[in-house]
Structure formats: structure tokens, C-alpha cells
């Protein structure tokens, strides 16, 4: 994957430059990173500008709360930001302020996947540095890339498989009770958890579980045959019937084929 800053409009570039200048001039931070569409050459004039301010937990660095407060005032007053907001329908800035400390969070069994791998992937594997003031970003990449350690990978895969199967196995019970929308919700969450397990099994960081699926499955993982199976999972002809349960069986088959428990070995 070719990663470089690719701005769809001059306004996107000007806003990025203004953000870098503001945070570098006013705060002690470690890096400014461009992520998502503009970092992967996929952005259009309607795309948002996703920028990350990285500030380590060291006492010499600006706290994240100060960066967030500074952004609130800067966004309201800066002309380059205002110009970007007018260029496209959804061309806004999505800033994020991170310390570089990545820890899996607790999650509810029905909430769908957590964002642990997504954060590492987008912030480290698929980001473009716009400015670096220390070697902290390099240290983080050495720690987390190309993938986290095998013990953690096995723990994560076992956990994600459990969540996925738990969602899938609830679906027939909900269908019996006529809870079709709840069944569909469980199906979608299980599908996302399958993707999460798939990437963990392949020791590869994802970009997202709800978009850029073809790019990720075909180009990053090199599994075009799998994408053809995924693309029809949500083609449901009659919603209030057992069809959702049939789709759940398909997801479980995919899980056992592409991210089986043997991947833990």
C-alpha cells in the first residue's frame, strides 16, 4: 500500500498545514499524523480530514486535555479550517489526540468489536507523519509493528472468536421469539467480529470493519474469493423469516475456515 499525504483539494492541504503549524508552535507534542483516506490516496472533495496529534505521557509533553481545549478555540477562528468546511458536503476536520498507549478495553458481549487493532493499524501502520519532534513514533512502531506479540495475539483471537460465536448462536433463539431486528443486529456485529478475527489470524492490522472492505480483503489480505462470499451476506429477501439464521450459519462457516481455533497454535 502506497502511503503518502494526498489532498483532494487545496483547502484540505491548507487546513492540514494550518493544524500542524498551530500544534507544533503552541504545544510540546511528539508528532502530527495524517490518517484514513487522505493518507491512502482515497479522498474526495467531500472527505473529512483526519489528523492525529501524538503526545506521549511524559511530563514534558502537553496533556491531551490541553490539546483538545486548544483545538476547540482554533477550529472556530482559523480561516483555513473555515474554508475547508465550505469545499465539500462533509469536508470537516476529525482530530484525535492520543498518547500512544494502546490497551484493549472491556466490552459488552453484544456491542460488536472493540477498536484495539483499529487504533494501532490506523495510527501506526497506515498513517503518514506530517511532522515529528521526537523518536517516540519510531519507538511505537518498533513495539507494535509488524504485529503485536504472539501471546497477546492468541488471547485476542480466542476472545474475538468467543464474541463472534456468542452473537451468532443467539440468532436462532431470537428468531424463534420474532426478534428479527435484534437478530439482524447480532448478525452484523458477528460479521464485524469475523473480520476482526480474520485480521488477527493473518497477523495484519485492519483499517475498518464497516467500510473499505474490498480494499482490505482483496488488496491487503489477498483474499478475493472471500470478498465474493462477504458481499452477499446481507442480501435478505424476506426479513421476518429464518433467513437471518441461515446467514448466521454462513458467517460461522467463514469463521471456521478463515480464522479457526487452530490459528491459535
Amino acid at each position: 500500500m502506497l502511503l503518502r499525504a494526498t489532498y483532494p483539494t487545496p483547502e484540505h492541504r491548507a487546513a492540514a498545514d494550518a493544524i500542524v503549524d498551530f500544534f507544533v508552535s503552541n504545544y510540546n507534542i511528539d508528532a502530527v499524523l495524517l490518517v484514513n483516506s487522505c493518507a491512502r490516496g482515497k479522498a474526495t472533495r467531500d472527505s473529512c480530514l483526519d489528523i492525529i496529534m501524538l503526545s506521549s505521557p511524559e511530563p514534558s509533553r502537553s496533556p491531551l486535555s490541553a490539546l483538545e481545549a486548544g483545538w476547540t478555540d482554533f477550529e472556530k477562528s482559523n480561516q483555513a479550517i473555515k474554508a475547508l468546511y465550505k469545499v465539500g458536503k462533509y469536508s470537516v476536520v476529525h482530530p484525535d489526540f492520543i498518547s500512544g498507549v494502546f490497551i484493549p478495553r472491556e466490552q459488552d458481549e453484544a456491542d460488536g468489536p472493540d477498536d484495539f487493532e483499529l487504533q494501532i493499524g490506523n495510527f501506526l501502520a497506515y498513517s503518514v507523519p506530517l511532522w515529528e519532534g521526537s523518536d517516540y513514533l519510531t519507538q511505537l512502531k518498533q513495539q507494535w509493528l509488524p504485529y503485536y506479540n504472539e501471546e497477546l495475539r492468541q488471547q485476542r483471537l480466542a476472545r474475538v472468536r468467543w464474541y463472534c460465536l456468542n452473537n451468532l448462536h443467539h440468532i436462532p433463539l431470537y428468531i424463534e421469539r420474532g426478534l428479527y431486528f435484534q437478530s439482524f443486529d447480532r448478525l452484523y456485529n458477528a460479521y464485524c467480529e469475523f473480520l476482526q478475527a480474520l485480521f488477527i489470524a493473518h497477523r495484519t492490522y485492519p483499517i475498518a470493519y464497516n467500510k473499505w472492505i474490498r480494499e482490505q480483503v482483496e488488496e491487503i489480505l489477498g483474499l478475493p474469493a472471500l470478498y465474493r462470499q462477504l458481499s452477499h451476506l446481507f442480501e435478505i429477501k424476506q426479513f421476518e423469516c429464518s433467513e437471518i439464521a441461515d446467514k448466521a450459519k454462513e458467517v460461522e462457516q467463514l469463521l471456521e475456515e478463515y480464522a479457526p481455533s487452530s490459528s491459535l497454535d
Side-chain angles (χ1 to χ4, degrees), residues 99-110:
S99 65
V101 178
F102 303 108
I103 301 174
R105 64 173 175 82
E106 292 297 322
Q107 66 188 92
D108 184 87
E109 55 92 15

Side-chain angles (χ1 to χ4, degrees), residues 104-105 107 111-118 147-148 153 156-157 159-161 163-164 189-206 208-209 213 216 221 255 258-259:
R105 64 173 175 82
Q107 66 188 92
D111 278 351
D114 65 9
D115 59 358
F116 181 61
E117 287 82 13
L118 293 176
Y147 208 67
Y148 50 66
R153 190 193 73 86
R156 292 286 297 168
L157 182 55
R159 174 178 174 173
V160 172
R161 277 180 50 85
Y163 280 113
C164 181
N189 283 340
Y191 152 79
C192 292
E193 287 157 348
F194 161 69
L195 291 178
Q196 185 178 22
L198 175 71
F199 275 90
I200 295 173
H202 283 76
R203 298 173 174 83
T204 303
Y205 289 113
Y209 303 129
I213 304 303
Q216 295 181 86
L221 295 180
L255 179 68
Y258 288 96

Side-chain angles (χ1 to χ4, degrees), residues 7 9 11-20 22-23 32-36 38 45-53 67 71-72 74-76 78-97 130:
Y7 302 105
T9 70
E11 287 82 2
H12 282 77
R13 179 183 296 276
D17 290 343
I19 292 169
V20 172
F22 172 74
F23 282 101
V32 182
L33 312 174
L34 183 68
V35 298
N36 295 339
C38 288
R45 68 183 299 107
D46 294 312
S47 296
C48 58
L49 181 65
D50 298 293
I51 290 192
I52 308 300
M53 270 56 71
L67 303 181
W71 165 253
T72 299
F74 179 71
E75 180 186 25
K76 296 176 182 177
N78 184 264
Q79 295 304 310
I81 302 298
K82 293 180 179 180
L84 173 64
Y85 287 6
K86 295 177 181 178
V87 77
K89 189 172 183 178
Y90 299 108
S91 55
V92 298
V93 179
H94 286 167
D96 208 345
F97 309 93
L130 298 180

Side-chain angles (χ1 to χ4, degrees), residues 25 29 43 74 77 88 100 118 134 141 150 152 169 180 198 246 257:
S25 300
I29 60 176
F74 179 71
S77 60
L118 293 176
S134 72
K141 289 184 175 182
E150 183 61 16
L152 179 59
H169 294 168
Y180 298 104
L198 175 71
D246 295 335
E257 179 179 356

Side-chain angles (χ1 to χ4, degrees), residues 104-148:
R105 64 173 175 82
E106 292 297 322
Q107 66 188 92
D108 184 87
E109 55 92 15
D111 278 351
D114 65 9
D115 59 358
F116 181 61
E117 287 82 13
L118 293 176
Q119 286 190 343
I120 300 172
N122 283 294
F123 298 160
L124 300 183
Y126 305 117
S127 66
V128 175
L130 298 180
W131 178 86
E132 291 183 70
S134 72
D135 64 350
Y136 184 51
L137 178 61
T138 299
Q139 293 177 29
L140 291 175
K141 289 184 175 182
Q142 290 173 344
Q143 177 183 358
W144 293 102
L145 303 183
Y147 208 67
Y148 50 66

